[in-house]
Amino acid sequence: GENVEQHPSTLSVQEGDSAVIKCTYSDSASNYFPWYKQELGKRPQLIIDIRSNVGEKKDQRIAVTLNKTAKHFSLHITETQPEDSAVYFCAASKTSYDKVIFGPGTSLSVIP
Amino acid sequence: DTAVSQTPKYLVTQMGNDKSIKCEQNLGHDTMYWYKQDSKKFLKIMFSYNNKELIINETVPNRFSPKSPDKAHLNLHINSLELGDSAVYFCASSQRMPEKLFFGSGTQLSVL
């Protein structure tokens, strides 16, 4: 079955700096890659997703890149703000009624 | 108007007891899920229902029994609770699999 690894497990950055979280997946058939943000004590919420027919996607300060050949994808957050502090989960799935498998999460702290 | 609501928010109980968690979504989604988040924040899928039909049943002890009376509701009943069942249980829904997951606010289960 699919296995998703995520690095680093914890990340501290100064406010205004960029943060990068990297994930790898094992199943070459996976083609849907969402990212979820979970603030302390809250529910996970989707922040961005990418499908395998796209190499990069941006939404304001957030961008995701996908390298299908290497089976890895990354989340980039620019101009970080304290409210970006949270646990970020990458995930992978195949289309057509397949489960979403989450990575172990990255705890991001943005220091003011 | 909460999209995915689950009750109770907190559940504290003794080992050996039986308890239930209820979930309802008003998004008109066809698919609902139960996820378990352990103390290390790892999110693992337990069950998935599509239009009241069980689609995914992960390696979960048969003490856990989901029930979907209609596509807007998915309940989780747990028999003979054990210490290791302590976790946060999230209900979620999506229009189809795999698409954006909408999570409930979670149920913090503590087994003493």
Side-chain angles (χ1 to χ4, degrees), chain A residues 11-21 37 47 59-63 75-86 88 106-112:
Chain A
L11 179 59
S12 286
V13 298
Q14 291 288 332
E15 182 177 356
D17 288 350
S18 295
V20 180
I21 301 171
K37 174 184 180 183
I47 53 172
D59 183 2
Q60 300 182 336
R61 296 185 297 108
I62 293 172
L75 176 72
H76 304 252
I77 306 173
T78 58
E79 300 171 21
T80 53
Q81 301 166 3
E83 50 265 39
D84 294 329
S85 296
Y88 291 81
T106 295
S107 179
L108 172 65
S109 298
V110 179
I111 304 163

Side-chain angles (χ1 to χ4, degrees), chain A residues 38 40-41 87 89 103-105, chain B residues 37-43 88:
Chain A
Q38 186 178 26
L40 189 63
V87 178
F89 295 95
Chain B
Q37 186 169 47
D38 62 23
S39 58
K40 295 184 179 177
K41 301 294 186 186
F42 193 70
L43 269 168
V88 179

Side-chain angles (χ1 to χ4, degrees), chain A residues 97, chain B residues 3-4 25-33 47-56 68-74 91-102:
Chain A
Y97 294 98
Chain B
V4 182
Q25 55 97 1
N26 63 6
L27 297 167
H29 287 166
D30 289 340
T31 310
M32 295 185 73
Y33 313 78
F47 303 103
S48 173
Y49 273 75
N50 182 261
N51 271 323
K52 303 193 297 177
E53 181 185 347
L54 182 64
I55 298 293
I56 291 172
S68 181
D70 54 63
K71 75 172 194 176
H73 295 84
L74 179 62
C91 175
S93 73
S94 65
Q95 182 55 46
R96 61 186 67 83
M97 292 177 67
E99 293 290 340
K100 176 179 178 179
L101 294 170
F102 290 79

Side-chain angles (χ1 to χ4, degrees), chain A:
Chain A
E2 175 66 277
N3 182 50
V4 179
E5 296 184 354
Q6 184 171 348
H7 300 278
S9 57
T10 59
L11 179 59
S12 286
V13 298
Q14 291 288 332
E15 182 177 356
D17 288 350
S18 295
V20 180
I21 301 171
K22 298 183 178 183
C23 290
T24 60
Y25 61 99
S26 60
D27 190 342
S28 56
S30 289
N31 53 15
Y32 174 64
F33 307 94
W35 287 85
Y36 286 80
K37 174 184 180 183
Q38 186 178 26
E39 296 175 6
L40 189 63
K42 301 287 180 68
R43 71 194 78 192
Q45 291 189 295
L46 182 78
I47 53 172
I48 196 166
D49 56 12
I50 191 168
R51 297 186 188 274
S52 59
N53 57 348
V54 174
E56 183 175 357
K57 184 176 179 180
K58 284 184 181 179
D59 183 2
Q60 300 182 336
R61 296 185 297 108
I62 293 172
V64 292
T65 58
L66 171 64
N67 183 327
K68 279 196 68 179
T69 305
K71 291 191 283 188
H72 63 71
F73 56 116
S74 301
L75 176 72
H76 304 252
I77 306 173
T78 58
E79 300 171 21
T80 53
Q81 301 166 3
E83 50 265 39
D84 294 329
S85 296
V87 178
Y88 291 81
F89 295 95
C90 62
S93 177
K94 299 187 281 289
T95 52
S96 303
Y97 294 98
D98 190 49
K99 57 196 171 191
V100 174
I101 301 298
F102 285 86
T106 295
S107 179
L108 172 65
S109 298
V110 179
I111 304 163

